[in-house]
Each structure stands twice: as C-alpha cells, then as structure tokens.
Amino acid sequence: MARLSALWGVLLVLWIAEVYSHTNMISINGDRSCVRPFSNDSPVMDIYNDVIKCNRQNSPAGGRCTVQAGSEITLRWFHGGTGSIDPSHKGPIAIYLAQASTGGNGDSWFKIAEDGYSGGRWAVERLVAAGGNWKVRIPSGLLGDYIIRTELIAHHESFRANGAQYYIGCADIRITGGNGADCSPKVAIPGGRWVPNYEDPTVKVDIYNGMRNGYRVPGPQVANCAGGGGGGGGGGDPAPAPAPAPAPAPGGGHSDGLHSGAVYFLHPQHASDKCLDAGGESDGAGIQIYGCWSGANNQKWKLENRGDGWSLIEQRSGRALDVWQSYDNGAQTQLWSFGGGANQLWYPERHGDAFAFKGKYSGKYLDVAGASNQDGAKVHQWSWHNAANQKWVLKRA
C-alpha cells in the first residue's frame, strides 16, 4: 500500500507540473472584458481542426477592447501556477488579426507580428523574462472591429511529428484612428498556407539539437498594410518621419541599379573609407563599420531579391544581415542563419548615388550609431532622418 501511495504521489506531482505549464492570453492593456472565454488552458495539437483558429474560445467576448491604430498594446499571458508559462515550453509567438465581419473564416487572417528564435533565445523565453507581458504594435492604417489571435507554440516535444503544442487565444477589439487600410497576405486558419502538415520544418523542430540552420516562424510573412489613404503596415512606426523617405515598392523598394545575386561593398556615405563589416562568423556576431580591405569577405555582401524584400548575405559566413525583432530605435544588427523572416529582409531605397535600407520588420533604417566614423562603430536600426549615416554607397566586389 505504501508503494502504491508513493506512485500516486509521483503521478500527482507530474500532473500538477503539466497543468501549471499551460498558458492563456488573459488581457489586453489590462482589460479582460474582450478576451473570449476559455474552458481550459490545454494546448491544441490538431492543426487540421477548426479549434486551432481560436482554441475553445470561438464565441465573441462580452466586451470589445478599444485600441488606437498605430499604438503599442500589451498582451498578458498567465497560467495556473505563477507567471506566464513554464520556461521549458520554448517556441515562437505570432499575432494575427482578422476583420470581425469574417468570423475568422476563409482567407481572413493576416500576421502583424512574430518573434521566433534570435540571439540564442526563443520568444517564449523573452515572454517569461517580461513577466508574461508582450507588446505588439497595431498597424497604423486599420479601422473597425477585428479579432486578434495570439499563437504561442511550445516546441519542447516538436522533435516528433504532431509534437508541437499550440496555445491559442482570441479577443475582440475595436481599432480607431485609422483610415481603412487593407493588409496582405491573408491566409485561412487552419489551412495549407498557414501550416501545411506535421512534417513542415516550422513545426517539426528539434530544439535540443541546436538551431544552427535558423528558424522560420510558421505562417505567412508579416503583413503589409496599405490603402485607405496610405495606411501603415506590419506594426511599423506610426510617427511621421522628419524627412520622408520614398515608400518601398512591393517586393523590392526603389532598387533600380541593384542586381540580385551580385556581391557588393557597402560604404556609409558619411565615412566613405569604411565598409559594412561583420565582427565575427557565428550567429549573433555584431555588425559594425571598419576600414575597407578588398580581400575581406566579411565586408562583402550578396544582395538577393527574395520577392518580398532583399536579403544581404555576408560572404565569409554565409549568414544574413539580421536585426533583433524589435520596433525600437537602437536595436542592434547581427549575423544570423538565413530563415526568411521579416527581420532579415530589407527594402533598398535609392537616394542619388546611394541607397538606404529599410527593415521590413520594423520600418526603420540601417544606421551607423551616432554617425561615428570610427572603426568598430556599431550599426543598428533607427527612424528615418535623411542623414548620411543612413545612406550607403554600393560598389561591386
């Protein structure tokens, strides 16, 4: 009997640990009235089931949270123990919107933000560090009633097919202050353009065997929101730039004169004797400017038009120019294995004999910190201000 009691005790501890690992999105800007009610916080495992859309919450909430277009909102996750989610449940976070009139049916969902694996950490680890609070910017052009969908994927068992655990939450919001922008691409959830199958490399992931090949967050790219008199998109900075830059054309910006597949040196216009330079070869290596040397492969960048933006691939390591997934001025650039994420794509914009590079993820520009002309000066992202330290003269290598 003593052994049986001990066994039941172990099972109870395991059950409690599993229950307390689960999580739900519970509020928007501290308001719970708009969050769709849920019966439990267990994950969804079936990517083909309609429950994956809004979990067990597919009835409208009693209230509707009002948010301002272009504003940053705070989403709050919580689980049955303390905090947001067990830190072992590592994985990405993505945020979607659909117009309320669609009910979330058909090709109605568009992604406004995503965070995967960068800087050696997963989005869930950043969520835990932030105490369960997650900030996301509402695209500046939107107007009307929407469903907001939060998608947190725990990859601790994703080394096997159908091992990914989806923690889905939905809420009903009203967006004010926009001008009726439309966003694309839109996808159906569930659906093949969201997650095609259980073998897809975005959902069958071995997080215990290193992430040397990078990671792409499941689903479509972060949406571009346009129209309705020039709305913003993808959670970009809603504030008007002091000196407006040309708007990027879909898939490439004002990239006339650039050749996809060609290799270039990038010279900052304010310090023409310097070159864009990678300070190391591994994921996370910092980007800087440094005195140019014609034989330095860490100063040679292959520009490739990916259709929805351009990548810059450093020729010593084969890694991409990447910015930490942040909308903040000063977010650092780094090398990272190319995974196709919006934080690794850039829109080149011509300015006379130079180009500016606008980040697809944040809408901010490749910028030499403090306009320094010193070797080792850091390169980060910054709002457009039409300065020479944001313009790059490209020369074929």
Side-chain angles (χ1 to χ4, degrees), residues 80-152:
T82 57
S84 52
I85 188 172
D86 190 284
S88 67
H89 285 36
K90 297 177 174 66
I93 294 172
I95 312 298
Y96 289 82
L97 289 175
Q99 287 185 309
S101 60
T102 69
N105 297 316
D107 289 335
S108 59
W109 295 99
F110 58 94
K111 185 188 289 183
I112 64 168
E114 65 177 24
D115 188 10
Y117 181 82
S118 60
R121 295 199 304 167
W122 285 95
V124 165
E125 295 176 274
R126 288 185 273 278
L127 175 69
V128 171
N133 296 309
W134 195 258
K135 296 183 182 298
V136 62
R137 191 173 298 279
I138 300 295
S140 59
L142 298 186
L143 180 68
D145 292 345
Y146 285 82
I147 307 167
I148 186 168
R149 175 182 181 271
T150 60
E151 178 183 286
L152 184 156

Side-chain angles (χ1 to χ4, degrees), residues 94-291:
I95 312 298
Y96 289 82
L97 289 175
Q99 287 185 309
S101 60
T102 69
N105 297 316
D107 289 335
S108 59
W109 295 99
F110 58 94
K111 185 188 289 183
I112 64 168
E114 65 177 24
D115 188 10
Y117 181 82
S118 60
R121 295 199 304 167
W122 285 95
V124 165
E125 295 176 274
R126 288 185 273 278
L127 175 69
V128 171
N133 296 309
W134 195 258
K135 296 183 182 298
V136 62
R137 191 173 298 279
I138 300 295
S140 59
L142 298 186
L143 180 68
D145 292 345
Y146 285 82
I147 307 167
I148 186 168
R149 175 182 181 271
T150 60
E151 178 183 286
L152 184 156
I153 306 177
H155 277 324
H156 57 296
E157 295 184 10
S158 296
F159 50 84
R160 57 180 176 83
N162 196 19
Q165 297 183 4
Y166 298 80
Y167 294 91
I168 309 298
C170 286
D172 298 302
I173 63 173
R174 176 162 294 159
I175 302 175
T176 61
N179 48 23
D182 188 38
C183 302
S184 63
K186 294 185 178 77
V187 300
I189 300 176
R193 291 196 298 138
W194 169 66
V195 174
N197 54 60
Y198 293 121
E199 295 292 334
D200 190 84
T202 64
V203 296
K204 186 181 180 183
V205 181
D206 184 357
I207 66 172
Y208 307 108
N209 195 30
M211 299 298 296
R212 291 183 297 275
N213 295 322
Y215 176 78
R216 183 177 68 81
V217 177
Q221 67 197 52
V222 172
N224 178 51
C225 299
D237 190 337
H254 294 276
S255 54
D256 51 306
L258 295 184
H259 300 279
S260 182
V263 178
Y264 295 89
F265 291 102
L266 279 71
H267 303 268
Q269 195 177 59
H270 76 291
S272 59
D273 61 328
K274 308 298 183 189
C275 283
L276 187 69
D277 177 288
E281 298 182 58
S282 60
D283 283 342
I287 305 300
Q288 60 191 1
I289 60 169
Y290 216 85

Side-chain angles (χ1 to χ4, degrees), residues 313-325:
I313 306 297
E314 188 254 7
Q315 293 301 283
R316 179 172 64 179
S317 67
R319 288 175 165 80
L321 179 64
D322 175 292
V323 67
W324 185 271
Q325 290 178 315

